[in-house]
């Protein structure tokens, strides 16, 4: 699991550690790890460090100091290192002295710096550290636009990216590799910041940190959560997921939600809605029931809303009245936005909301309007979806707090927020998932995991991971268009892949032997 900590948490841990260490020890640890990564990249690129052209973009403060010390280490190994000082009067004194002692070159003229930047084999971005807010300052903006031939390595966070949120408020310098110190930063795991970070590598510097506020599950974490039937399991013990989806206008939503549900670990899928004939024809193993959720019989979780049309309101009301987990998607979210958070008041079973940013805007407006369904004032009009997409972490947290529910905010980085516990982010998605019906598959998959016994945050995070992997599996490399049906069909393969990747290495030797 990748754990990410806020800037305040990192600063507190650094202060506590620095109080126990000789002055400068922590910076030298960070710079040493940074230099090792840079040397490895140069060796891979040119075959050696000696003679490589390295540019250090050094801002003020400790981030620039890390970069200067790392540049000095590369210079001692024979690299031709030039430090471009973007704040000459505030450059880190110790780092600058170390670079000069290693015969590094120092320039302050930005025209010269830009020329060196464009032809360098490797650039160290030490302009702004984790405390930076807003985009790059005017003196640094040209580097974000300039052509380059070498690899850019960001020091702790790409300059211009908010380390806590991943927001990019202006110009930012896109990195190929980001070397972060002590812990991951939330902004490296969440778009749009994640798209600027490139490959992220962690260098340990000995920080003692509290529980993380943001985490990203790895294959081993997902594999540990996957429901696996036991020897005494039957279809009812494995869980039954109810799916209330589809309408005369959107019958395909029912088929896709059921397709996802059948591959999510529950023992049976019970469908209610207008597309019963189509569902049974395509998936004869599905149980179908006339009417709505109230008369459907026993289920362990409900999925409500995909393609539900005008009937989504009644289906939502009946599902929410049941004392089982409920996943609300698509038209169900539109109805919930009209009703406001009061519709979930008094529920003791978990509720999982799965909006995209447009639906998130409507839900937030519904929370602000008091849920009376009337005309909203100027102050409670839906926020722009683009604004919410740029602040994904804050958006998911706001929704979870407003509705007292788990929220899976769909997008380039899926964010899962709960009123309590860390936010979970999923990086496995692909732009090819922006296709009709993919959200219906995700809803059915996550609902099935709920019925199989996973908590709402676990079900959401596991479903998002598998869904993204299935799309990547189907699209292939370098990538081709996929359909939602193909994504659903690929789920068993990626389920197996995740479990296989997390399995322990086989022991050598004969079974039961010593391997000698």
């Amino acid at each position: 699991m990748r754990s990410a900590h806020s800037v305040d948490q990192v600063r507190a841990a650094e202060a506590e550690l620095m109080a126990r260490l000789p002055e400068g020890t922590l910076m030298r640890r960070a710079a040493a790890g940074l230099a090792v990564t840079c040397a490895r990249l140069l060796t891979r690129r040119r075959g050696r460090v000696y003679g490589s052209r390295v540019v250090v973009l050094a801002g003020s403060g400790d981030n620039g100091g890390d970069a200067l010390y790392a540049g000095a280490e590369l210079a001692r190994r024979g690299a031709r290192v030039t430090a471009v000082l973007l704040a000459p009067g505030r450059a880190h004194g110790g780092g600058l002295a170390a670079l000069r002692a290693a015969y590094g070159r120092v320039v302050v003229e930005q025209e010269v710096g830009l020329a060196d930047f464009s032809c360098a084999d490797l650039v160290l971005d030490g302009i702004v550290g984790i405390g930076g807010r807003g985009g790059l300052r005017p003196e640094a903006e040209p580097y974000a636009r300039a052509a380059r031939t070498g690899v850019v390595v960001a020091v702790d966070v790409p300059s211009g990216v908010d380390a806590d949120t991943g927001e990019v408020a202006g110009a930012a310098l896109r990195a190929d590799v980001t070397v972060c110190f002590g812990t991951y930063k939330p902004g490296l795991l969440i778009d749009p910041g994640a798209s600027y970070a490139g490959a992220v590598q962690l260098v340990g510097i000995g920080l003692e940190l509290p529980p993380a506020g943001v985490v990203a599950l790895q294959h081993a974490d997902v594999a540990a959560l996957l429901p696996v039937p036991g020897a005494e399991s039957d279809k009812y013990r494995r869980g039954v997921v109810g799916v209330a989806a589809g309408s005369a206008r959107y019958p395909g939503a029912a088929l896709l939600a059921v397709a996802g549900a059948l591959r999510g670990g529950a023992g049976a899928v019970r469908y209610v809605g207008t597309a019963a004939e189509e569902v049974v024809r395509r998936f004869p193993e599905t149980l179908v029931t006339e009417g709505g959720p109230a008369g459907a019989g026993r289920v362990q979780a409900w999925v409500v809303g995909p393609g539900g049309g005008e009937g989504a309101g009644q289906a939502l009301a009946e599902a929410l009245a049941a004392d089982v987990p409920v996943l609300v998607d698509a038209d169900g979210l539109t109805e919930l936005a009209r009703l406001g958070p009061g519709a979930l008041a008094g529920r003791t079973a978990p509720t999982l909301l799965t909006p995209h940013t447009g639906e998130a805007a409507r839900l937030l407006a519904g929370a602000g309007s008091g849920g009376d369904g009337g005309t909203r004032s100027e102050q409670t009009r839906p926020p722009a979806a683009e604004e919410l997409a740029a602040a994904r972490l804050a958006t998911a947290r706001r929704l979870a707090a407003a509705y007292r529910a788990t929220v899976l905010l769909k997008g380039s980085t899926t964010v899962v927020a709960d009123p309590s516990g860390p936010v979970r982010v999923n990086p496995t998605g692909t732009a090819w998932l922006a296709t009709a019906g993919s959200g219906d598959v995700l809803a059915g998959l996550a609902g099935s995991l709920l019925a199989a016994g996973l908590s709402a945050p676990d079900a959401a995070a596991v479903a998002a991971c598998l869904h993204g992997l299935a799309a990547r599996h189907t699209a292939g490399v370098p990538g081709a268009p996929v359909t939602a049906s193909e994504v659903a069909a690929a789920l068993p393969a990626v389920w197996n892949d995740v479990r296989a990747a997390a399995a322990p290495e086989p022991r050598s030797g004969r079974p039961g032997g010593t391997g000698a």
Side-chain angles (χ1 to χ4, degrees):
M1 180 181 296
R2 287 184 166 185
S3 298
H5 292 79
S6 70
V7 172
D8 286 345
Q9 289 175 317
V10 171
R11 293 291 193 224
E14 287 177 341
E16 193 279 331
L17 183 57
M18 285 190 291
R20 297 186 280 110
L21 294 175
E23 184 177 355
T25 301
L26 200 59
M27 181 172 286
R28 285 192 290 273
R29 285 181 184 176
L34 178 61
V36 167
T37 298
C38 292
R40 188 180 302 122
L41 290 169
L42 287 169
T43 301
R44 189 180 304 156
R45 182 180 177 84
R46 300 187 73 255
R48 65 186 187 277
V49 175
Y50 186 86
S52 300
R53 294 166 298 181
V54 175
V55 167
V56 176
L57 299 178
S60 59
D62 289 348
N63 189 259
D66 294 331
L68 289 167
Y69 275 117
E73 178 60 31
L74 295 172
R76 283 191 286 270
R77 294 185 59 174
R80 292 180 289 167
V81 181
T82 297
V84 182
L85 306 185
L86 282 88
R90 293 178 291 149
H92 190 277
L96 193 56
L99 182 70
R100 283 177 165 143
Y103 301 101
R105 173 170 165 252
V106 178
V107 301
V108 296
E109 301 85 0
Q110 296 311 307
E111 294 80 3
V112 177
L114 280 166
D116 289 335
F117 173 88
S118 298
C119 63
D121 297 306
L122 184 142
V123 175
L124 269 170
D125 168 18
I127 303 172
V128 182
I130 60 175
R133 295 291 183 271
L136 290 174
R137 301 297 182 262
E139 65 272 14
E141 279 191 28
Y143 294 95
R145 299 189 298 267
R148 68 206 201 191
T149 59
V151 60
V152 174
V153 179
V155 181
D156 226 4
V157 65
S159 293
V161 172
D162 189 302
D164 275 342
T165 68
E167 296 176 43
V168 179
L173 183 54
R174 196 176 297 273
D176 300 293
V177 177
T178 297
V179 178
C180 55
F181 306 129
T183 182
Y184 295 97
K185 313 306 184 292
L188 301 177
L189 305 180
I190 301 167
D191 276 334
S195 67
Y196 283 81
V200 181
Q201 299 185 13
L202 179 65
V203 170
I205 55 175
L207 299 184
E208 297 179 5
L209 292 154
V214 175
V215 298
L217 302 187
Q218 305 297 286
H219 277 25
D221 307 304
V222 173
L225 292 169
L226 293 176
V228 178
E232 301 300 318
S233 296
D234 59 37
K235 60 179 178 288
Y236 295 108
R237 289 176 180 172
R238 290 179 59 193
V240 179
V241 57
V243 177
S247 59
R249 188 176 181 184
Y250 303 113
L255 296 173
L256 292 168
V258 168
L262 286 168
R263 295 171 172 89
V269 177
R270 190 184 298 278
Y271 174 77
V272 299
T274 60
E277 289 187 16
E278 291 92 335
V279 167
V280 172
R281 188 178 303 117
R282 177 66 180 86
F283 301 111
E285 59 269 51
T286 308
L287 312 173
V288 296
T289 305
E290 297 292 333
R298 186 179 65 177
V299 300
Q300 276 69 53
W302 275 107
V303 174
V304 180
E310 294 181 358
Q314 183 62 33
L316 177 64
E318 293 181 15
L320 290 176
D323 190 26
V324 298
V326 175
L327 182 151
V328 187
D329 185 48
D331 290 324
L333 293 171
T334 298
E335 179 65 14
L336 183 60
R338 186 185 70 82
L339 297 170
L344 305 182
R347 272 186 58 79
T348 56
T351 307
L352 172 57
L353 313 181
T354 57
H356 53 60
T357 50
E359 291 161 340
R362 293 195 289 274
L363 286 166
L364 287 171
S369 71
D372 58 6
T375 302
R376 295 185 174 93
S377 68
E378 192 73 26
Q379 288 77 19
T380 57
R381 285 182 180 176
E386 293 80 7
E387 296 174 10
L388 299 183
R392 305 188 58 77
L393 184 59
T395 299
R397 282 173 166 159
R398 285 174 61 194
L399 276 173
Y403 284 84
R404 302 299 301 168
T406 301
V407 172
L408 184 160
L409 181 61
K410 293 180 281 196
S412 54
T413 302
T414 301
V415 179
V416 178
D418 191 69
S420 61
V423 173
R424 304 173 186 210
V425 298
N426 175 65
T428 67
T430 167
W432 294 114
L433 270 175
T435 185
S438 67
D440 304 329
V441 174
L442 176 63
L445 173 62
S448 188
L449 291 164
L450 282 173
L454 272 66
S455 69
D458 285 344
V462 170
C465 177
L466 295 176
H467 189 245
L469 291 173
R472 290 178 179 271
H473 176 92
T474 303
V477 177
V482 302
T483 67
S485 296
E486 291 170 334
V487 172
L491 287 170
V494 300
W495 186 296
N496 278 328
D497 289 346
V498 167
R499 294 190 67 195
E505 291 291 330
R507 297 174 64 185
S508 60
R510 294 171 295 177
T514 64

